[in-house]
Each structure stands twice: as C-alpha cells, then as structure tokens.
Amino acid sequence: MRWRLAGMAIISCLLAAGTATVTGAGEATAAPLAAPWGTAQALVLPPVINFGQFATINSIACPTAGNCTAVGHFTDAHGNVAAIAASEVDHVWAAAVQPFGTIEPSITAPDLLSVSCSSPGNCAAVGVETVNQAWTDGLLLGESNGTWNSSLSWGEYDKGTKFSPVSCPPKSAGACTAGGYYVDASGKQQALLLTQSAGPIGWSPITIPGLAGLNAGGSAAVGSVSCPSKGDCAAGGYYTDGNGNRQAFTVTERNGAWKNAREVAGALNSGGHAQVNSMSCASGGNCVAAGQYFRYVAPNVSTQAFEATEKNGTWSSAQRVPGTGSLNAGGVALVNSVSCVPGTGSLNCALGGRYQDKNGAAQSFVDVLKNGSWKQATEIGSGHNLGGYAQVSTVSCPWSVSRASPGSRSRRCRAPARSTRARPPR
C-alpha cells in the first residue's frame, strides 16, 4: 500500500453548477416527502473557472437544510481536469474552491466523486487521480470546521484504486465509511470498504464478508455506502459471477459487525448485467438500494431501473421503479441516486436518474417513497433539455429544524440535474 499526504491550498473561484432543487415540508410526525417537485434550474459556470466548458457536480451532501457541500470537477483552458468543492451556509452558496494546491507533474485528472458530512463544515470527500498516466490512486479528503485541511492518496500494487462513495454518520465526526475498488496482484478487481479510525487521515480497510465467494469472475466494486449512525451502515455495488455476468449486491453493518454480502435483483437480471448505483438508510436496518439491470425479452435487451427496500433488517425482492416502465420507451433507464430522510424507522425517500424516451432522448426522472410506498416516477427538467440529454445525478434529503417554526421539521431534497444545450494492506 502506498500513501501520500498533502497539504491543501485553497483557491477561491466563482461557483456554477447545473442544479435542480426539490422541496417539501411538514411536521416531524408527518414524515412523507411530498410533491410537487421544484422547477429544475440551469446555472452556468463563469469562464474564470470553466474555460474548458466541461464542469460537473458529482455529489452533494446536506447535513441540515440550507447547509450543503457539493464536489466535482472542471476543465481549464489547457484541457486539464481539476477537482472543485463548493459549500452553502445558511442558504447562501459561497465561492467554489479548488481543494488542491500545485498538482504534482506525475499526477493528472484529480476528480472528487462523492462527499458526505457529519455536520455543517465537517465532511469527507473521495475520488480518484491518475498517476504517471499508468494507474489510478484513490483520494480521501477531510474538511474540519469549513476548511479542507487534509488529503490522502491510497494506491495498491500500482495497478489501480478508485474511491467513489463515502458516508459519514450524523453528528459522529471521524466515523466515515468509504468504498470503491482496487486491482490485486493477479490483476483481478476487488471491492473495497474503508472506515475512518483516527481523525481525517486515519482509514482502515474492511474485508467484505461473503463477497470473495460471489466474485468468481474477478471484477467487483462498492458503488454506494450509507451510514445513518455509527456502527450501522449499508453498502452496495456489483460483482461478477462464474458465468461472467455482473450481479448487484448489498452488505449491511449492524452494531459494528458486517453481515454477509447478498445478491439483489437476480430474479430481474435476465440480461446478465445488474448493479447497485446508490444506497440510503433512514436508520440501521431500514434502507433502499437502487440501480439498474438488464431485461432480456427475445430478441431485445433493455436497461431498467430497480429498487430494493430493507425494513427492520429484512430485504424485499427488487422491483422495477414504479412508473419507469411506461416512461422508458427507448429501453434505457437507471437510478443514479437515492436518499432517505434520516433518523426515523419509517422510510421516506427520493430517487433520481434517467430514462430514454420514444424519440431516443435521455430524460431525467424522480420518484418518492412515502411511508414505505413508492409513487409513480415523474419526469423533471424537460424544458431545459434542448439537446436531448438530461439526468438527475444526485439527490439529498436531510432533516432540519424549520426556520419558520422552531418546533417543526422540514425536508429539502436537492437533486442536481445535468442537461445539454443546441489500498488495503498488502
């Protein structure tokens, strides 16, 4: 295992992101996420940061309403990719920052893929960078009291490592869990989980119980992690079975102990390719996993969006996301992100992704889970989608105290939407 620690120089920049905001409100006892969804909005990055005109917000985290952190990347005038992070404090977005100083000559294309916050201004972000144009290292970054002040590079065997999800339990600083993959000495891709053990740069690897036996095909990865409380997490991703088919899996931690990984969506996956793209838990043992699977109806294979629900530690059978069957006339649908209102046993969640309409255009959609029952998926943002490609990339639904009524709670989901115009130890 190779480590590289780096100090973090902050460079202030102007913020821009393609984003849609969805809102709902209600009393603490009336936990549902209610329609209607807010109107999608398109914002433009100023040239000062986005000379290359390719900027993406990959992830957003809102530990309380009006206090969010977003991460992603942009391209400069020379075609170089650099990571960016931006924070909202009291409903006001501050200038974006580039949370790295001078990039080493051997390092290219740093990108932040996921962020999670235990409280406002106390976050962890993960991502990937390319080393010597030959392999990738995973990135782990820490923010304390609003300042990005630590970074860690994790490499294994100089073959490839990538971190894509991270989750930090509310009000539990230094207890985050990250996931991804590494390529082992034999060239096989193995799923990877890390837990934060000692401050922002103390991370330890976890062996995922039961996954080695499932991953007979030698290609697995963790695609999403959700930790509603310290010692209670869930993760999901994919593995490759002995027949070379990619299968979706979930694995759950309860009271500090990880249970065996299990396949999900197998009964749906007649086309031989499924994966969990996103995971979210309201509390320990009450989670939603969502992603995509291949459906084979001779002679055609289509991509469909699915979700599976865990209630009190028991997983339901996976199902196609309600309403996406009729929307998905073009046969390509998937869920990118799901988020559940934390801190309660009842499941009230939102998910978002994309589908292909009858004209072949990619459209964004959202769906809500109200008190354990899914509504019908709804298209959003079509008015901005002049170029025929749109999707919801990430959704975040926090509990927060309402400013209008201190005794009540409000829920605010943020769903950035993008549209087009005309190493574990050796």
Side-chain angles (χ1 to χ4, degrees), residues 215-228:
N215 188 34
S219 181
V222 173
S224 185
V225 178
S226 180
C227 301

Side-chain angles (χ1 to χ4, degrees), residues 353-375:
R354 76 172 190 264
Y355 69 92
Q356 190 175 71
D357 65 21
K358 63 181 180 180
N359 297 316
Q363 305 288 354
S364 55
F365 76 89
V366 293
D367 199 359
V368 293
L369 181 68
K370 179 180 178 181
N371 292 330
S373 297
W374 286 101
K375 304 301 179 182

